[in-house]
Amino acid sequence: MIVIAEIVLPVVLLGLAGFLLARSALVSDEAVRGLANVTFYILFAALLFRSMARVRIESLDPAILLAFFSGVALVFGALMLVGRLVLGMRLADQAILALSGSFSNGVGLGIPLVTLAFGEAGLVPLLMIISVHSLIMLTLTCFLIEIDLQDRGGIARRMGAAVLTMFRHPVLPSIFAGLAWGELSRRIPGLALPQVLDKALALAAQAAAPMGLITLGASLAHVGFRGHWREGLLTSTAKLLVLPVAVYLVGRFVFRLESLGLTIAVINASMPAGANVYMIAQRYNVGIGRSTNAVVLSTVASVVTVSVVLALLR
């Protein structure tokens, strides 16, 4: 109960505030998109840059990545098989189904929650995972979809456009820019951000977590349900229950992660499906209903599952 009161309840309340605001007549769809752009391109960009600028690359533990993505690979592959052998899906639909059950909302929900629970120490392993999460999972999914749609032609051009789109999102550039600046400032004596700029970034970073939660709630208000309950329940179960267990077992017994790294990897695995899932579905017009339902169902149910994970591991 203490975990729920101190960490999860504030997260839920801010998300609910955004949801109710978006449901009212005060905020339009365009306003929600504008709010999301401000949140990610300014606030989260500042948070990611400042956090990663303090990280020493040699201190990062690659075992965290190996443990997390081993669990992701197991769940992704299992859902691909279920989509093929049980549901009789084509390759593109299998890829969307598998992504819905294995891609975590580590930015919009993971960063605010980890910040509240563990502070900046918890952000380091989380951002390490996030830095390659989208690059690996979205590229793989786009590749599988492109194989299925290759009769449309231009697979290389379309894959290149998909990768370019990911790097236009502020998450990856901000993380890599922060790491690069941190290394430069340590190697070049006297090199530092101007104090005024650093304070501006600090103010923006402080606002990132609450605004991210409000934006998440507002975005869900405009998504809604689109049928495909069976697939939504399947992917939500895989995302919220199977993936965290898989990451925990691999991380603890195979890679023997230290306590904080294991905890953050499991918490990120327990996050609901990220918005990029239905963004990819909409981009290719494949499995839109399934991916939308997976995002909404897993986000609502994650209030319970994330509380349990925090209570067990924190």
Side-chain angles (χ1 to χ4, degrees):
M1 291 301 295
I2 295 177
V3 171
I4 296 175
E6 291 183 350
I7 301 171
V8 178
L9 187 56
V11 168
V12 172
L13 289 177
L14 284 174
L16 181 61
F19 181 89
L20 294 176
L21 185 64
R23 281 292 188 181
S24 70
L26 299 175
V27 179
S28 63
D29 289 354
E30 292 76 13
V32 172
R33 284 192 289 269
L35 180 65
N37 287 335
V38 170
T39 301
F40 286 104
Y41 282 91
I42 297 179
L43 305 183
F44 269 111
L47 173 65
L48 297 173
F49 178 86
R50 293 188 85 249
S51 298
M52 297 309 291
R54 296 184 175 91
V55 173
R56 292 185 178 274
I57 295 179
E58 61 270 17
S59 68
L60 298 177
D61 186 1
I64 297 175
L65 293 178
L66 293 173
F68 181 81
F69 286 104
S70 294
V72 168
L74 290 172
V75 173
F76 190 93
L79 287 173
M80 288 287 292
L81 289 175
V82 170
R84 171 74 174 182
L85 302 178
V86 179
L87 302 177
M89 293 178 172
R90 57 187 292 189
L91 182 60
D93 286 301
Q94 294 172 43
I96 291 295
L97 182 79
L99 187 69
S100 299
S102 60
F103 188 84
S104 297
N105 187 357
V107 177
L109 185 56
I111 288 178
L113 193 144
V114 168
T115 301
L116 285 172
F118 302 95
E120 192 162 318
L123 281 179
V124 174
L126 177 65
L127 295 181
M128 185 169 59
I129 294 172
I130 290 174
S131 66
V132 294
H133 192 193
S134 295
L135 187 62
I136 292 176
M137 298 306 298
L138 299 186
T139 301
L140 173 61
T141 302
C142 290
F143 178 72
L144 293 174
I145 294 174
E146 290 289 358
I147 291 176
D148 197 18
L149 304 178
Q150 62 182 326
D151 57 315
R152 296 183 183 182
I155 182 172
R157 179 179 59 83
R158 291 161 65 93
M159 278 295 299
V163 173
L164 182 61
T165 298
M166 283 183 279
F167 277 97
R168 284 176 179 169
H169 194 279
V171 172
L172 293 180
S174 299
I175 289 175
F176 292 140
L179 282 172
W181 178 259
E183 287 301 306
L184 282 175
S185 62
R186 278 186 285 272
R187 296 175 186 275
I188 302 177
L191 182 63
L193 287 176
Q195 189 174 11
V196 173
L197 177 58
D198 188 55
K199 287 185 176 180
L201 290 173
L203 288 173
Q206 290 173 8
M211 285 302 298
L213 294 170
I214 292 172
T215 302
L216 174 64
S219 300
L220 286 177
H222 292 283
V223 173
F225 292 98
R226 300 189 182 184
H228 302 283
W229 289 94
R230 181 178 62 169
E231 292 89 341
L233 290 173
L234 170 65
T235 53
S236 295
T237 301
K239 184 70 203 65
L240 301 177
L241 298 178
V242 180
L243 182 58
V245 171
V247 171
Y248 176 81
L249 293 176
V250 174
R252 180 172 182 182
F253 298 108
V254 178
F255 293 98
R256 301 189 180 280
L257 296 179
E258 49 85 22
S259 179
L260 181 61
L262 177 63
T263 298
I264 299 303
V266 174
I267 287 176
N268 191 57
S270 70
M271 291 294 106
N276 280 330
V277 174
Y278 65 75
M279 289 175 62
I280 293 294
Q282 289 174 337
R283 176 186 180 90
Y284 288 101
N285 194 28
V286 174
I288 295 176
R290 298 186 188 93
S291 61
T292 301
N293 237 21
V295 172
V296 175
L297 286 174
S298 63
T299 300
V300 173
S302 67
V303 174
V304 176
T305 57
V306 170
S307 300
V308 173
V309 170
L310 280 171
L312 293 175
L313 296 180
R314 185 168 182 258

